[in-house]
Amino acid sequence: MRHDANWHDEPTDYNQHGKLPRERVVEDHGAGLSGSLNITSSTADPALLDLPWQIRLEDWPSRYLAALPRGISRHVVRFARLGGAVIAVKETGEHVARHEYHMLRKLRRLDVPCVEPVAVIAARSTPSGEELDCALVTRHLKYSLPYRALFSQKLRRDTLTRLIDAQALLLVRLHLVGFYWGDVSLSNTLFRRDAEAFAAYLVDAETGELYPELSNGQREYDLEIARVNIAGELMDLMEAGLIEDTVDPLATSEQIMDSYRGLWAELTRKDEFDTGERWRVDERIRRLNELGFDVDEIGLRTTSDGRHLEIQPKVVDAGHHQRRLMRLTGLDVEERQARRLLNDIDAFRAARHPDMDEELAAALWVQDVFTPITRSIPKELHGKLEPAQIVHEVLEHRWYISERRGSNVPMKETVASYVQDILRHRRDEAAIMLNPPTGVLEAVDQPESRER
């Protein structure tokens, strides 16, 4: 049967009147598909037409699916292959799908950690003419995991604390740009390893809204939603015996309140100091940089007595160390990974090339340290962890075994030890396989290395 696809190229931005420019429509006739589709896409990838949109998502044949772990969702969600990439497909109402698609587009432009929207597939129907729900397509975030895939037997208390701290940081970043989430939970978040911690990414934005600025009431309501949802998720885990018996779900869920409020206060508070203590301006900026945030401008005001200054920095975004590492090396990594690698670059420069320009020393570090480590990893282990995380763990492993031996261990020996003793026992986080007969996640817990 003939298939007509109305393909709408998603505009890259809004015009000066705040309205979307007229979409360009391309007619495409695909064999093997029935009915007509309305596709709004940011990528205009013709491979989208090869997927079986005329079939209910829960009934898609296995040949289209990718074996990746799925989090808990109120909707039907499947991972599928699109060319050489993997996408997540969610069935939902058309209004909800389009709202979430555009919201994710806006968040991406604001450089907020979230999944990348690919397309909205509307006007779906079966060959018999039965209407099907709209589909929202997002790109799979490589090396990311839903929180339930981070364990299989017992979720350790310290791992749980790191997840909640990552969730709090994500919520702070969203609130700084004026995004009200409305459904904050671990289930609506993906986590990637970031040195010794985790980086959190928003997955579900269907209840979210962007405002010029959030009120304290909006922020506190989002925070209360987070506390309640996390408490419920931890209770479910405890009932299933998946967290340590010493963990109190209610008390643990309160941690996001403390973590969020402490970080928010650090980023937004006003400081007052004597006019002779002007060094405290630089101190405040350095403290914010250490937290991973950049400062756009500083507001200084002299008090009425003329003896004190008030300072309030305007924080623009997280990613201070990421941006510095990108500028020096071109490596695009998570924030804590970047900080760890920058420390090694600084040590490398001080030990070998103290008089060399910073950019040249960083280029030599990539050539002499980063690249040799990544090239030393056996090909069959490349999917275990992303390269920056591997380099971080190798550097930590070198420190550990050197301390144990009482002398510096050569890097070649360090890498061999790390590969044999640690990396081979880690699970693939680039593509965690599903159990073929059942489609259930084979959640094999990875052993924690001694450095952790």
Side-chain angles (χ1 to χ4, degrees):
M1 297 180 65
R2 170 176 164 169
H3 164 71
D4 295 330
N6 294 324
W7 194 295
H8 301 269
D9 275 351
E10 173 60 18
T12 57
D13 211 338
Y14 294 85
N15 62 25
Q16 61 181 339
H17 303 294
K19 297 181 180 180
L20 290 173
R22 181 171 302 190
E23 295 175 319
R24 181 169 61 88
V25 178
V26 179
E27 295 292 333
D28 191 301
H29 306 287
L33 295 179
S34 61
S36 83
L37 292 179
N38 185 306
I39 302 178
T40 302
S41 175
S42 60
T43 61
D45 189 340
L48 284 169
L49 295 173
D50 297 330
L51 295 174
W53 300 114
Q54 76 280 16
I55 302 174
R56 292 182 186 278
L57 188 55
E58 62 184 350
D59 297 327
W60 275 22
S62 60
R63 66 179 180 275
Y64 293 103
L65 302 179
L68 291 173
R70 299 190 298 270
I72 297 175
S73 174
R74 66 177 67 91
H75 305 286
V76 176
V77 178
R78 294 290 184 269
F79 288 103
R81 302 190 183 280
L82 184 69
V86 175
I87 57 173
V89 184
K90 177 173 74 173
E91 281 186 336
T92 185
E94 182 173 352
H95 174 76
V96 172
R98 293 192 182 281
H99 172 80
E100 184 169 5
Y101 173 82
H102 290 299
M103 197 57 58
L104 289 172
R105 293 270 290 165
K106 292 175 183 178
L107 291 176
R108 296 276 297 184
R109 286 196 287 269
L110 292 170
D111 201 26
V112 171
C114 64
V115 294
E116 178 188 350
V118 174
V120 173
I121 314 294
R124 296 173 60 211
S125 62
T126 67
S128 63
E130 179 186 358
E131 293 185 0
L132 299 177
D133 283 338
C134 186
L136 172 68
V137 181
T138 57
R139 197 172 304 281
H140 171 63
L141 183 63
K142 198 172 182 180
Y143 295 104
S144 68
L145 298 169
Y147 78 102
R148 293 179 70 96
L150 290 167
F151 60 93
S152 62
Q153 297 176 355
K154 293 282 186 179
L155 182 62
R156 294 168 29 163
R157 182 194 294 270
D158 63 336
T159 303
L160 184 56
T161 298
R162 287 181 287 161
L163 288 179
I164 291 177
D165 286 343
Q167 184 88 54
L169 175 58
L170 173 61
L171 192 56
V172 165
R173 294 188 64 178
L174 290 168
H175 286 177
L176 283 173
V177 300
F179 182 78
Y180 170 77
W181 194 341
D183 195 13
V184 191
S185 69
L186 297 175
S187 298
N188 286 337
T189 310
L190 285 174
F191 297 91
R192 294 179 71 180
R193 296 192 181 278
D194 184 9
E196 73 285 351
F198 291 97
Y201 287 75
L202 178 145
V203 177
D204 193 323
E206 67 180 47
T207 58
E209 293 289 348
L210 266 173
Y211 298 91
E213 185 177 350
L214 294 184
S215 67
N216 288 338
Q218 287 174 309
R219 292 192 302 104
E220 285 296 319
Y221 191 64
D222 238 0
L223 197 54
E224 177 63 14
I225 290 173
R227 185 191 67 81
V228 172
N229 283 344
I230 290 173
E233 289 167 329
L234 297 185
M235 288 178 183
D236 289 342
L237 294 178
M238 176 156 282
E239 185 175 349
L242 295 176
I243 54 177
E244 294 179 344
D245 297 336
T246 56
V247 173
D248 182 342
L250 293 178
T252 303
S253 69
E254 296 282 349
Q255 292 180 11
I256 194 171
M257 314 284 281
D258 296 336
S259 182
Y260 173 94
R261 287 172 178 156
L263 184 55
W264 184 266
E266 183 70 41
L267 296 175
T268 61
R269 75 169 191 267
K270 288 183 180 180
D271 285 337
E272 183 176 318
F273 51 89
D274 293 338
T275 54
E277 299 179 303
R278 299 178 185 179
W279 53 270
R280 291 183 60 179
V281 176
D282 289 336
E283 181 186 59
R284 180 73 190 281
I285 293 174
R286 283 197 301 271
R287 170 62 179 156
L288 293 172
N289 290 161
E290 288 172 1
L291 291 172
F293 287 83
D294 280 331
V295 176
D296 182 43
E297 60 185 34
I298 290 286
L300 287 173
R301 187 175 73 88
T302 305
T303 57
S304 57
D305 59 11
R307 299 172 55 188
H308 297 83
L309 285 175
E310 288 183 351
I311 173 178
Q312 185 169 27
K314 179 181 179 183
V315 175
V316 287
D317 196 10
H320 172 77
H321 299 96
Q322 286 175 308
R323 285 185 280 273
R324 183 186 168 209
L325 185 69
M326 174 70 82
R327 175 175 59 82
L328 290 174
T329 67
L331 296 173
D332 186 9
V333 306
E334 297 290 351
E335 177 67 12
R336 290 179 180 83
Q337 291 170 346
R339 183 165 54 190
R340 177 65 181 87
L341 299 185
L342 285 168
N343 287 341
D344 200 66
I345 290 173
D346 292 340
F348 172 86
R349 181 187 181 198
R352 301 192 191 180
H353 311 283
D355 300 323
M356 183 176 287
D357 178 81
E358 182 182 48
E359 283 79 6
L360 290 177
L364 275 179
W365 176 86
V366 173
Q367 174 184 302
D368 295 348
V369 179
F370 188 92
T371 300
I373 291 175
T374 56
R375 286 181 176 173
S376 299
I377 303 302
K379 186 176 181 180
E380 68 271 16
L381 302 182
H382 283 182
K384 295 286 187 179
L385 297 169
E386 59 182 327
Q389 183 67 22
I390 287 177
V391 173
H392 159 73
E393 293 191 4
V394 166
L395 296 176
E396 292 294 298
H397 186 65
R398 187 185 194 189
W399 173 87
Y400 173 80
I401 61 178
S402 295
E403 183 183 53
R404 185 175 58 185
R405 181 179 298 183
S407 61
N408 286 331
V409 177
M411 184 59 76
K412 186 175 181 180
E413 182 181 342
T414 298
V415 174
S417 170
Y418 170 77
V419 168
Q420 183 62 34
D421 298 340
I422 297 177
L423 189 61
R424 286 193 182 278
H425 305 287
R426 305 289 286 266
R427 61 184 178 183
D428 272 9
E429 293 190 0
I432 299 179
M433 297 303 295
L434 301 184
N435 184 326
T438 64
V440 177
L441 172 66
E442 289 281 355
V444 181
D445 196 14
Q446 63 180 42
E448 294 286 341
S449 66
R450 287 178 290 264
E451 301 93 299
R452 300 186 184 284

